Amino acid sequence: MTERIHNFSAGPAVLPVEVLEEAKENLLSLGNSGIGILEHSHRGSAFLAVYNQTVADCRKLAGIPDNYHVLFLQGGASSQFFMVPMNLLSKGQTADYLVTGSWSKKAVEQAQRFGTTHVAASSKDRNFCYIPKDASYSDAPAYVHFTSNNTIFGTQWAADPQVPSGVPLVCDASSDIFSRPIDVQKYGLIYAGAQKNLGPSGVTLVIIRDDLVKAGPLDIPEMLQYRTHAENESAYNTPPTFGIYLMGLVFKWMLKQGGLAEVQKMNEAKAKPLYDFLKQSSMFRGTADPGSESLMNVTFVTGDETLDKRFIAAAKEAGFDGLKGHRSVGGMRASIYNAFPAAGVQALVDFMRNFEASNG
Amino acid sequence: MTERIHNFSAGPAVLPVEVLEEAKENLLSLGNSGIGILEHSHRGSAFLAVYNQTVADCRKLAGIPDNYHVLFLQGGASSQFFMVPMNLLSKGQTADYLVTGSWSKKAVEQAQRFGTTHVAASSKDRNFCYIPKDASYSDAPAYVHFTSNNTIFGTQWAADPQVPSGVPLVCDASSDIFSRPIDVQKYGLIYAGAQKNLGPSGVTLVIIRDDLVKAGPLDIPEMLQYRTHAENESAYNTPPTFGIYLMGLVFKWMLKQGGLAEVQKMNEAKAKPLYDFLKQSSMFRGTADPGSESLMNVTFVTGDETLDKRFIAAAKEAGFDGLKGHRSVGGMRASIYNAFPAAGVQALVDFMRNFEASNG
């Protein structure tokens, strides 16, 4: 088999080898069923067992209370950008957004056609290189929306934002979900495209409180109501069965690591050598403010675009793939989600140190 | 490896073994890239090569003219039920629907909130066991929508419905797409959930004429505009990369069979022994009218629910899975899409003949 290289892709991203190996074994026959995982009816007992285990493991992993639904939807986080306001915001109401990067900007733009929006905090003044400390909320917002990790700008909320009591907190956690323990009860709704920390692209995990499901409007298409998916356990229509299966394998893998507290320790230990190196390097520097740095996406530059390009090319040549920063910011980005191996980060640091020595 | 059994599931459904084998080989490394197919960035060169080949093969297979877009969306055919009227129907306009089963009923229901709907033909009077011959269209409908194959009732349009000149024909082809040649130019829009004839669940193929894309409204969420996906080659946000990859493998497999004309011959030869048997059996009878029978889903009953149940249980025991009819109609259904092997149909006929002899 071809040797696997260091895959720093921001998503779809690296998956645990044991998850891929297990999926591989079940492609032509799920267990001894004689039917591959891709070919099982979503209403058959074999897939229902997969579904039930996936939901149970998700609940166990994140300590999800019974009054929250676990849904597997389609259309990515981008579809949640409009589904959230379509379901939770009415004309005459205001929704507050904390704008810390490109994705939260897109989210607030999509909400504008459903009601009033208010940007309660923004870090746009310094090109989103930090997480704002303060927010000025509107009176009685319908909800407060934030993006817990900013894939493009390499920043991450160190703690949940403080919101007015009783206001539902809505989180786009696409790029750091289950990278650390999460107190689900603080949230009204959490959503995450799977392709960074949870599985393949094409399935979106939505964790939503029951009262918000029930309060949603009935005059929008059934497929766009959270109610429809909650009442039908994500099988109102054919769900993305393989994505759910793979997410289940990733949940099992995380439980095997010891759960989210252990996963957090792994992620902290994994990112540290890279951030430590950036602090003392005379060639490279991190772009996120101290205290706002992401454990998932480490963004850095040399300060010289030509040198950036040379570095990226040399790294690619040496088997470090996907280090080019997002087209909207340039520079470099190392995406090191849960499944990215610590040895790969260490190898990158060694490579950067050598590159600096040879090109300094 | 576990032996594969006869999988008559209506969807997700059986896939060609060689497609599954190839996917299996590429799970840990796509070719010699060192990164698995699930883990490649949707903007990287390796996945873009997959995407381009998939689109090219789709165009070649179905002879899709240049003024049609090939899109890979999410949310299943159920999401097209509302996206079609949301994009093609305005208040004050009327859309015509040909109602031949549960799915077309659902489609017309979802359209009602966007404009006026008119049922131009229906086979509801005889529980959808036939395809209507005539239709009474409204004056200048925005489009005419039909379902080319009715998975649940085992009926299929033998030829395209005749629609007034200049009116866009919209087709839900989920359960018989690419089972026979298709004259794309007759259509304004064709959509199909992949999980029956094209690949795994979680990706929807949409073939849409450019003028319909351009005429779509701008005041709906970006993700719900065909324009957004057409302008961004299905990568406005992260597409379901694995589903696209797998669909590409299925397209290659169909081209290898000789293209759609050959696929049609295979399907006709494959279904024939079962329909022939049903015509002469004294225990089983097909439920679809002659001339309306589907080559994809063969529905039949004994006329005795207890006997139906005994047959389904005995068949399952003997390795024929998924023969239970849809919960809304009962009886039996053998889904024998493109990838279902002819030998499996013959084995079923032999089993039915023996069952009839032993239980007659």
Side-chain angles (χ1 to χ4, degrees), chain B residues 208-348:
Chain B
I208 180 170
R209 214 173 57 209
D210 187 53
D211 61 301
L212 296 176
V213 169
K214 292 216 170 86
L218 288 155
D219 60 349
I220 57 173
E222 273 74 356
M223 280 291 289
L224 301 179
Q225 298 176 29
Y226 291 114
R227 177 186 294 106
T228 303
H229 304 288
E231 285 176 356
N232 292 281
E233 301 200 303
S234 302
Y236 172 73
N237 70 328
T238 316
T241 53
F242 184 69
I244 295 170
Y245 163 75
L246 218 74
M247 211 189 263
L249 295 185
V250 172
F251 292 157
K252 258 187 228 163
W253 175 81
M254 288 193 230
L255 287 168
K256 214 171 121 187
Q257 307 308 307
L260 297 188
E262 288 304 314
V263 167
Q264 178 175 22
K265 279 186 208 163
M266 280 167 48
N267 285 329
E268 283 167 350
K270 191 166 74 184
K272 193 170 186 301
L274 181 51
Y275 278 117
D276 284 350
F277 172 75
L278 288 172
K279 267 178 208 130
Q280 60 76 56
S281 167
S282 56
M283 178 180 276
F284 301 99
R285 62 173 178 83
T287 59
D289 277 9
S292 296
E293 295 142 326
S294 167
L295 291 181
M296 300 284 102
N297 311 93
V298 184
T299 49
F300 54 99
V301 294
T302 63
D304 170 351
E305 280 184 33
T306 314
L307 188 57
D308 285 353
K309 272 186 194 155
R310 255 176 57 212
F311 170 75
I312 292 163
K316 195 175 166 70
E317 189 67 27
F320 300 94
D321 198 71
L323 284 172
K324 192 161 177 271
H326 189 270
R327 59 196 187 284
S328 64
V329 293
M332 280 74 72
R333 171 176 56 181
S335 297
I336 51 172
Y337 302 117
N338 287 352
F340 192 93
V345 177
Q346 193 52 63
L348 174 65

Side-chain angles (χ1 to χ4, degrees), chain A residues 53-110:
Chain A
Q53 189 66 48
T54 301
V55 172
D57 285 346
C58 183
R59 288 190 176 277
K60 186 175 171 186
L61 193 60
I64 301 173
D66 287 346
N67 63 325
Y68 285 76
H69 299 271
V70 172
L71 309 178
F72 305 103
L73 304 188
Q74 296 185 54
S78 295
S79 292
Q80 296 307 305
F81 293 170
F82 70 82
M83 269 184 78
V84 165
M86 194 180 246
N87 281 274
L88 308 186
L89 180 63
S90 319
K91 294 271 173 216
Q93 285 188 310
T94 299
D96 285 8
Y97 281 75
L98 305 172
V99 178
T100 53
S102 307
W103 299 111
S104 28
K105 250 177 71 185
K106 283 202 179 193
V108 70
E109 281 161 17
Q110 292 300 313

Side-chain angles (χ1 to χ4, degrees), chain A residues 1-5 7 9 11-15 17 20-21 23-24 27-29 31-36 38-43 74-76 78-79 82 106 110 113-114 195 200-202 218-224 236-242 246 321 327, chain B residues 1-5 7 9 11-15 17 20-21 23-24 27-29 31-36 38-43 74-76 78-79 82 106 110 113-114 195 200-202 218-224 236-242 246 321 327:
Chain A
M1 202 192 68
T2 311
E3 207 181 324
R4 284 167 60 82
I5 63 172
N7 177 12
S9 170
V14 66
L15 287 163
V17 169
L20 295 175
E21 295 278 12
K24 192 173 161 177
L27 268 200
L28 277 110
S29 174
N32 57 8
S33 68
I35 294 174
L38 294 159
E39 307 166 299
H40 269 286
S41 166
H42 56 298
R43 306 209 186 271
Q74 296 185 54
S78 295
S79 292
F82 70 82
K106 283 202 179 193
Q110 292 300 313
R113 60 180 104 245
F114 301 99
Q195 69 272 12
S201 60
L218 288 156
D219 61 349
I220 56 174
E222 273 74 356
M223 280 292 289
L224 301 178
Y236 172 73
N237 70 329
T238 316
T241 54
F242 183 70
L246 217 74
D321 197 71
R327 59 195 187 284
Chain B
M1 204 190 69
T2 311
E3 207 182 322
R4 283 166 61 84
I5 64 172
N7 178 12
S9 170
V14 66
L15 288 164
V17 169
L20 295 175
E21 295 280 12
K24 193 172 162 176
L27 270 198
L28 278 108
S29 175
N32 58 7
S33 67
I35 294 174
L38 294 158
E39 308 166 299
H40 270 285
S41 167
H42 56 299
R43 305 209 186 273
Q74 297 185 53
S78 295
S79 292
F82 71 82
K106 283 203 181 191
Q110 292 299 315
R113 62 180 102 248
F114 300 100
Q195 69 271 12
S201 61
L218 288 155
D219 60 349
I220 57 173
E222 273 74 356
M223 280 291 289
L224 301 179
Y236 172 73
N237 70 328
T238 316
T241 53
F242 184 69
L246 218 74
D321 198 71
R327 59 196 187 284

